[in-house]
Amino acid sequence: MKTYEESIEACKDLNELEKIRLKIFGKKGFFSGEFARLKSLKGEEKKELANSLNSAKDSLTNLLNEKKEKLELEFINSSMQKESVDVSLFNASTSSGALHPVYETMNKIIDYFVGMGFAVEEGPLAEDDFHNFEALNLPKYHPARDMQDTFYFDDGMLLRTHTSPVQVRTMLSQKPPIRMICPGAVFRRDFDLTHTPMFHQVEGLVVEPGNSVSFANLKFILEDFLKYIFGDIKVRFRPSFFPFTEPSAEVDISCIFCKGDGCRVCSHTGWLEVLGCGVVDQNVFKAVGYSDVSGYAFGLGVERFAMLLHQIPDLRSLFEGDLRLLEQFK
Ligand code: DAH
């Protein structure tokens, strides 16, 4: 008996304790042997042994249970300590995300213009008619408003259809000289292979006192910019129309896929249209209270640049959040 108590006391783990329990209470263990022996005894002797066996059984059961509880608790505590995770630790195997191709492209564009001394301006996404249209020489009922199918709110406010209202806001709050770009989201009621209801533009505006800014300045900076982004390409300016610029132009680059030979992407023309620009119309300056100034402006679609740089055929895939697409840009 004493030795059983001692071995329970000294036991250090649950498996060992179970072995001891079997030695005492198992089918071939101590008690089954002793109780079997009881059958061969009689009278006082039998009673005495039965009593002492029963009390030994009780005390050993208690001892075993107490020890079991203690060992279980120790086991839980030590495994909690061993398996605990320090969430603040750096884990080199954790995979990190990457910039969305639209933002990566936008950053490249911003980098160029910041390097050229342009400030980065921002404006609200919900605009009023004055900033989005009126001040940009787009009066009510002007047919050119149809170029940009607009989301209107009930109170007459609208989601800006281009980043050009930020030109207006910047001119209203600053004095020339101005040299700024505005990157940001814009909204139009459009949805197909090359149009999504939300996309991103980068607007540019330069204004100087007097008549020192000309189309030549605009031409130089855009050519330099497009070569910075697309590498060794040709650039051409095509006459176009925007209400806020006069003269206006659309700018093409030689197709980066076929080097100008003609392919599916450039519709076999050898050219890809990439932005709109022009010399700022004096009516725009009038609307913001400027006089005796000159300037140029331009606007481009960031998604178009991202699609060309990464050869993404469907604009909509940029906004589906499909990780299989996004993981290619890590
Ligand atoms: N706002 C024009 C658009 O969304 C883009 C644009 C063209 C901006 C010419 C300009 C510009 O500032 O001069 O289609």
Side-chain angles (χ1 to χ4, degrees):
M1 284 298 299
K2 255 263 153 335
T3 54
Y4 287 137
E5 282 170 10
E6 276 165 8
S7 56
I8 293 173
E9 210 64 64
C11 175
K12 290 229 157 43
D13 80 86
L14 284 162
N15 286 338
E16 198 193 324
L17 190 68
E18 178 61 9
K19 278 183 200 151
I20 298 171
R21 191 189 67 80
L22 288 173
K23 255 188 219 163
I24 305 171
F25 292 105
K27 264 187 192 153
K28 290 178 189 158
F30 170 74
F31 279 109
S32 61
E34 286 300 291
F35 280 113
R37 194 161 68 86
L38 211 54
K39 284 179 196 154
S40 61
L41 299 178
K42 285 205 169 70
E44 205 52 36
E45 210 181 347
K46 183 171 185 172
K47 204 170 152 192
E48 234 169 65
L49 182 64
N51 277 343
S52 82
L53 281 179
N54 279 330
S55 76
K57 203 176 153 193
D58 286 348
S59 90
L60 281 173
T61 305
N62 284 340
L63 214 58
L64 270 171
N65 286 344
E66 273 168 29
K67 188 72 182 182
K68 192 168 173 226
E69 251 175 59
K70 199 174 152 207
L71 287 177
E72 276 173 349
L73 195 70
E74 276 176 19
F75 175 74
I76 290 173
N77 282 340
S78 88
S79 44
M80 289 223 312
Q81 224 160 42
K82 265 190 277 176
E83 291 160 23
S84 74
V85 175
D86 182 350
V87 289
S88 69
L89 270 184
F90 174 70
N91 179 355
S93 70
T94 306
S95 71
S96 61
L99 275 183
H100 190 280
V102 168
Y103 274 80
E104 180 235 19
T105 306
M106 191 136 104
N107 285 347
K108 240 188 221 167
I109 297 170
I110 294 171
D111 274 353
Y112 173 84
F113 287 106
V114 167
M116 285 303 217
F118 285 63
V120 179
E121 302 287 348
E122 281 183 335
L125 304 183
E127 267 295 3
D128 53 35
D129 194 88
F130 174 76
H131 292 89
N132 195 80
F133 291 126
E134 200 86 40
L136 289 162
N137 199 27
L138 265 153
K140 288 201 175 59
Y141 310 114
H142 193 291
R145 285 199 180 196
D146 288 351
M147 288 162 75
Q148 304 177 359
D149 214 348
T150 312
F151 289 109
Y152 285 98
F153 295 104
D154 288 341
D155 61 0
M157 294 286 283
L158 49 89
L159 287 176
R160 70 178 182 194
T161 55
H162 49 182
T163 40
S164 306
V166 184
Q167 288 190 22
V168 178
R169 289 186 177 275
T170 306
M171 287 191 281
L172 284 172
S173 64
Q174 297 175 25
K175 288 206 155 45
I178 287 173
R179 186 169 269 260
M180 69 100 183
I181 54 165
C182 165
V186 301
F187 307 85
R188 290 184 200 177
R189 296 174 56 139
D190 245 340
F191 193 58
D192 61 33
L193 212 67
T194 50
H195 297 91
T196 49
M198 187 279 304
F199 60 104
H200 298 79
Q201 289 189 333
V202 175
E203 184 83 13
L205 173 73
V206 168
V207 185
E208 297 274 352
N211 58 2
S212 57
V213 177
S214 75
F215 202 93
N217 303 129
L218 170 65
K219 204 165 170 242
F220 169 80
I221 197 133
L222 289 183
E223 265 184 33
D224 192 53
F225 161 64
L226 290 169
K227 286 185 174 155
Y228 171 83
I229 297 286
F230 293 108
D232 185 21
I233 39 114
K234 285 196 216 95
V235 178
R236 80 175 180 190
F237 286 69
R238 255 183 311 106
S240 184
F241 171 79
F242 297 103
F244 23 90
T245 44
E246 179 58 38
S248 306
E250 272 169 322
V251 182
D252 299 339
I253 57 170
S254 53
C255 181
I256 53 176
F257 301 105
C258 63
K259 307 271 176 261
D261 292 341
C263 68
R264 227 167 45 94
V265 183
C266 62
S267 307
H268 303 282
T269 61
W271 295 97
L272 298 164
E273 183 194 320
V274 288
L275 54 82
C277 64
V279 172
V280 179
D281 195 294
Q282 287 298 322
N283 280 341
V284 176
F285 289 140
K286 232 181 263 164
V288 296
Y290 278 10
S291 59
D292 197 22
V293 294
S294 54
Y296 66 74
F298 58 88
L300 62 89
V302 182
E303 280 76 3
R304 173 112 176 110
F305 276 54
M307 284 171 80
L308 292 174
L309 287 173
H310 295 296
Q311 308 190 21
I312 302 165
D314 185 342
L315 179 65
R316 291 169 296 193
S317 62
L318 285 173
F319 302 114
E320 279 165 356
D322 188 333
L323 286 179
R324 288 168 304 177
L325 177 104
L326 296 176
E327 280 183 346
Q328 297 174 46
F329 300 101
K330 274 191 180 173

